[in-house]
Amino acid sequence: MKSYLIGVDIGGTTVKLGLFTPKADLVEKWEITTRKHEGGKYILADIVKSIEDKLEEKNIDKSMVEGIGLGVPGPINNDGIVKNCVNLGWKVFNIEKNLSELIKLPVKAGNDANVAALGEMWKGGGEGYKNIIMITLGTGVGGGIIIDGMLLPGVNGSAGEIGHINVCKEETESCGCGKKGCLEQYASATGIVNIAKKLILDTTLESILIDKEKLSAKDIFDAAKLEDGLALKVINKFGEILGRALANIACILDPEVFVIGGGVSKAGELLLETVKQNYEIYAFHSVRKVEFKLAKLDNDAGIYGAAKLLF
């Protein structure tokens, strides 16, 4: 009898779902709106209904589904207990137990960044490696750690929260987490724009960025590819901060490869080379020759990794 896995990636705007075979063949993917009203109390029920509707549509009996893997945007421990998903309105509860009771199937959950790393190891930029650090550069900065093919979530599910490593004790503005000087303030899409805005105020360089009404990280990388002096200065600053942070992380975890994903990673080889060059300046000699790869699964990394959690 054919069997299936279901991967679910819960985001602040949408919930992405994927139906897989155990050999990682994606049968179908779809998404639903994340209903965050009233503390997010509708989210799990919506997921259950969406899955059951899809199984009925595909004429798949629930007994043919081995389980559901779940990526959650917040800390979650090995027992499946979520510890405050602020952007969903969730407090502390056992998401594995709650969802399993609703849908009558086994459930395994993990932090979304860790789950994305697992997906990239399985079928993405980290395929063929067993010791991976994934960095997601988007609105924020996240990370996932895989050692010898296994996720390293930490006691509280917070391992890999590299966006909140302190990289500048002189910073006066606060990060979203409440601290000051976090990596996220410099290496996220928003952080890159903030670096540019500060440099624009203090530069005599001519630049196509100066008159941009609404500046984005993409604008900055595009300008850098055109050899725009100010843009190159911004990218070098970003690369120096992120490269130095990764060099420190490598001294502890000694990975085979850094896989870089998230919206900012669409800058491609320019981003990769800038970070790698700076990394090699700061890295301890025995970890200097780590591979750098771009993520390949894009927005599907979460559903792939969630399905992989079930193995």
Side-chain angles (χ1 to χ4, degrees):
M1 181 187 292
K2 198 168 186 178
S3 62
Y4 298 90
L5 312 168
I6 295 173
V8 180
D9 181 18
I10 303 175
T13 306
T14 62
V15 178
K16 299 175 180 64
L17 303 98
L19 180 66
F20 294 85
T21 70
K23 292 185 178 179
D25 297 318
L26 179 58
V27 178
E28 187 167 340
K29 63 179 179 178
W30 69 103
E31 59 183 56
I32 60 174
T33 300
T34 306
R35 285 205 292 161
K36 295 182 285 187
H37 314 82
E38 300 178 50
K41 73 176 188 179
Y42 302 107
I43 295 172
L44 294 187
D46 287 349
I47 290 170
V48 170
K49 184 178 187 309
S50 181
I51 290 172
E52 290 181 341
D53 287 349
K54 183 60 64 175
L55 294 178
E56 184 177 350
E57 175 193 321
K58 295 289 183 185
N59 197 27
I60 297 171
D61 190 87
K62 198 180 283 188
S63 64
M64 298 165 68
V65 178
E66 294 188 24
I68 298 169
L70 199 63
V72 178
I76 177 169
N77 69 16
N78 286 330
D79 295 322
I81 297 173
V82 169
K83 299 189 173 183
N84 296 316
C85 289
V86 178
N87 62 342
L88 298 182
W90 287 348
K91 301 299 183 184
V92 179
F93 73 105
N94 191 316
I95 194 169
E96 292 181 356
K97 181 181 177 184
N98 284 26
L99 184 57
S100 184
E101 287 177 351
L102 285 172
I103 200 165
K104 305 296 187 287
L105 285 169
V107 175
K108 182 63 182 170
N111 169 266
D112 58 353
N114 286 337
V115 165
L118 199 58
E120 288 290 341
M121 180 192 76
W122 194 25
K123 288 292 174 182
E127 190 172 6
Y129 298 92
K130 287 191 173 183
N131 295 278
I132 297 168
I133 297 173
M134 183 171 176
I135 306 99
T136 53
L137 306 176
T139 307
V141 174
I145 302 166
I146 297 175
I147 302 296
D148 198 24
M150 301 292 289
L151 274 176
L152 180 66
V155 173
N156 298 300
S158 297
E161 289 284 0
I162 68 169
H164 300 290
I165 292 172
N166 187 280
V167 295
C168 181
K169 65 180 181 179
E170 289 82 21
E171 180 60 62
T172 57
E173 295 180 17
S174 295
C175 174
C177 74
K179 297 196 305 175
K180 296 176 182 178
C182 292
L183 177 63
E184 188 167 291
Q185 292 180 267
Y186 309 94
S188 65
T190 306
I192 294 166
V193 170
N194 287 339
I195 292 172
K197 287 179 176 177
K198 288 176 182 177
L199 288 176
I200 285 171
L201 293 174
D202 190 34
T203 187
T204 56
L205 291 170
E206 291 187 8
S207 171
I208 60 176
L209 301 178
I210 292 173
D211 297 323
K212 281 276 185 183
E213 193 171 315
K214 194 171 181 182
L215 194 59
S216 69
K218 182 180 184 301
D219 293 331
I220 296 164
F221 275 100
D222 286 346
K225 290 172 185 176
L226 297 173
E227 301 293 324
D228 182 281
L230 179 61
L232 287 170
K233 201 170 178 181
V234 175
I235 299 309
N236 286 336
K237 178 72 172 174
F238 151 80
E240 191 272 334
I241 293 171
L242 182 55
R244 178 158 43 91
L246 297 183
N248 291 335
I249 291 167
C251 283
I252 300 168
L253 296 171
D254 192 12
E256 294 174 272
V257 62
F258 287 107
V259 178
I260 301 181
V264 176
S265 71
K266 289 181 171 59
E269 291 301 322
L270 173 60
L271 179 147
L272 218 58
E273 285 305 312
T274 303
V275 176
K276 183 178 180 182
Q277 286 170 11
N278 281 281
Y279 168 86
E280 290 179 351
I281 292 169
Y282 293 101
F284 183 59
H285 65 85
S286 66
V287 297
R288 194 169 292 141
K289 296 304 176 184
V290 176
E291 295 285 334
F292 280 75
K293 303 281 187 183
L294 291 169
K296 291 181 179 178
L297 295 177
D298 200 17
N299 290 330
D300 292 344
I303 57 172
Y304 271 90
K308 181 66 171 171
L309 277 176
L310 295 163
F311 287 100

